[in-house]
């Protein structure tokens, strides 16, 4: 597996995501994912499973320094003092004295962005966070965050799949040295049954899901989060580095995008507009 380098961070291109994964599932599946070779693990305060993620990592036998661990601060903890306290709580649950990457989970907040970026920089300066980032930010807010931050932003974690064209956001991120971390790559279950993706997969002896994970990591500056609570699918998700999609296949996948392709769009959390 290759790393994506972004403003000083070296992030494994394929991560294991834990969104909507109850603690019991984390304790069952994550140890097997780590054993298989996953070294990038993504969680968040709001997921309610940081403690189980920490337990799985601590019990894995893999050195903490060999795992790239991401968590995210929830919107109700954006005020400075609450932010700092929430990071300490996350570290305690994760059984570690630092996380590799800490993100602002959503952009909409009454707390000024300058204060939020200041808090991110403060925990980085304190050594509790190696790298900082954002999530679900549009181009304008991503640029504003970069301007307000002393430390460079490593990633913008966003909805990313074949049915949603994120090329403008990716171009803007590249100009800033920021990676995009792709979540919802399976598009809420649409991907595995897509005839175009299945046909491309058949040519490589791969599934449609593997094709889309490969499509993501084959793009410069894009990191893919895979997620499954099914142990048998772990190997499928991990086994995407022994084939390459042609330029024509990459374009065919990109061509699946639709104007109404966005799935995740909570009015109380999203930016004022999407690009």
């Amino acid at each position: 597996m290759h790393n994506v380098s972004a403003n000083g961070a070296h992030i494994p291109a394929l991560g294991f995501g834990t969104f909507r994964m109850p603690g019991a599932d984390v304790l069952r599946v994550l140890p097997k994912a780590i054993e298989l070779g996953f070294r990038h693990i993504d969680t968040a305060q709001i997921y309610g499973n940081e403690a189980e993620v920490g337990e799985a990592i601590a019990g894995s036998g893999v050195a903490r320094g060999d795992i790239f661990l991401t968590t995210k601060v929830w919107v109700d903890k954006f005020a400075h003092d609450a932010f700092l306290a929430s990071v300490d709580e996350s570290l305690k649950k994760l059984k570690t004295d630092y996380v590799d990457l800490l993100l602002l989970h959503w952009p909409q907040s009454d707390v000024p962005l300058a204060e939020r970026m200041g808090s991110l920089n403060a925990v980085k300066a304190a050594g509790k966070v190696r790298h900082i980032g954002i999530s679900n930010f549009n181009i304008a807010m991503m640029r504003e965050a970069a301007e307000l931050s002393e430390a460079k932003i490593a990633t913008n974690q966003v909805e990313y799949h074949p049915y949603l064209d994120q090329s403008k956001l990716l171009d803007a991120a590249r100009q800033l040295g920021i990676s995009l971390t792709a979540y919802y790559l399976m598009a809420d279950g649409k991907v595995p049954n897509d005839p175009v993706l299945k046909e491309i997969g058949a040519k490589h002896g791969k599934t449609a899901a593997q094709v889309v994970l490969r499509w993501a990591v084959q793009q410069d500056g894009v990191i893919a989060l895979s997620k499954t609570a099914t142990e048998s699918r772990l190997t499928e998700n991990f086994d995407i580095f022994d084939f390459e999609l042609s330029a024509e296949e990459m374009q065919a996948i990109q061509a699946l995008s639709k104007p109404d392709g966005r799935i995740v769009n909570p009015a109380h959390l999203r930016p004022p507009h999407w690009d």
Side-chain angles (χ1 to χ4, degrees):
M1 187 191 304
H2 66 273
N3 285 347
V4 172
S5 295
N7 283 334
H10 304 289
I11 309 171
L14 180 64
F16 184 86
T18 62
F19 176 58
R20 287 182 181 161
M21 191 174 283
D25 284 349
V26 170
L27 289 174
R28 178 175 54 84
V29 179
L30 183 53
K32 292 180 170 61
I34 296 171
E35 184 180 351
L36 184 62
F38 279 93
R39 292 294 180 269
H40 172 186
I41 300 164
D42 181 271
T43 183
Q45 293 173 353
I46 198 68
Y47 296 175
N49 58 22
E50 285 179 313
E52 289 81 5
V53 168
E55 187 176 334
I57 293 172
S60 69
V62 174
R64 172 67 189 88
D66 291 337
I67 287 176
F68 192 97
L69 177 60
T70 300
T71 194
K72 312 172 194 79
V73 177
W74 190 241
V75 297
D76 64 352
K77 300 291 192 292
F78 280 168
H80 185 72
D81 290 348
F83 191 109
L84 301 185
S86 81
V87 171
D88 287 340
E89 185 180 348
S90 288
L91 293 177
K92 187 176 179 182
K93 287 177 179 175
L94 290 164
K95 298 178 175 59
T96 183
D97 55 5
Y98 74 95
V99 292
D100 297 275
L101 181 59
L102 184 71
L103 310 180
L104 301 177
H105 206 146
W106 281 93
Q108 196 176 135
S109 175
D110 293 332
V111 178
L113 186 54
E115 181 177 332
R116 288 177 268 161
M117 297 310 297
S119 298
L120 276 177
N121 278 267
V123 291
K124 182 179 187 298
K128 296 174 182 180
V129 171
R130 295 278 171 89
H131 305 283
I132 63 170
I134 53 181
S135 186
N136 301 298
F137 276 48
N138 63 12
I139 292 172
M141 296 190 79
M142 178 173 66
R143 286 179 174 151
E144 184 184 358
E147 288 172 7
L148 289 168
S149 184
E150 184 179 339
K152 298 272 190 185
I153 293 170
T155 204
N156 184 5
Q157 185 175 131
V158 295
E159 179 181 347
Y160 202 104
H161 49 73
Y163 312 109
L164 178 64
D165 182 6
Q166 291 281 39
S167 55
K168 287 181 183 176
L169 184 66
L170 181 56
D171 286 345
R174 285 171 176 160
Q175 289 168 17
L176 295 165
I178 297 172
S179 64
L180 290 188
T181 300
Y183 74 77
Y184 253 57
L185 269 163
M186 296 301 110
D188 233 4
K190 292 179 191 169
V191 161
N193 299 310
D194 188 291
V196 173
L197 300 171
K198 286 168 75 173
E199 184 180 348
I200 293 171
K203 294 176 186 173
H204 296 277
K206 298 290 181 179
T207 64
Q210 288 173 310
V211 165
V212 167
L213 288 168
R214 177 69 209 186
W215 166 76
V217 301
Q218 205 169 301
Q219 296 173 66
D220 181 37
V222 177
I223 297 150
L225 292 181
S226 66
K227 179 220 158 182
T228 183
T230 307
E231 294 170 34
S232 59
R233 288 215 188 102
L234 282 173
T235 303
E236 176 186 342
N237 288 349
F238 194 73
D239 192 19
I240 62 166
F241 295 98
D242 60 350
F243 75 108
E244 191 168 329
L245 298 168
S246 68
E248 291 76 20
E249 288 168 334
M250 293 289 286
Q251 288 167 4
I253 297 167
Q254 194 74 33
L256 294 171
S257 65
K258 302 168 184 174
D260 61 347
R262 188 174 297 278
I263 298 167
V264 185
N265 196 25
H268 64 297
L269 298 171
R270 69 189 184 202
H273 65 86
W274 296 108
D275 300 295

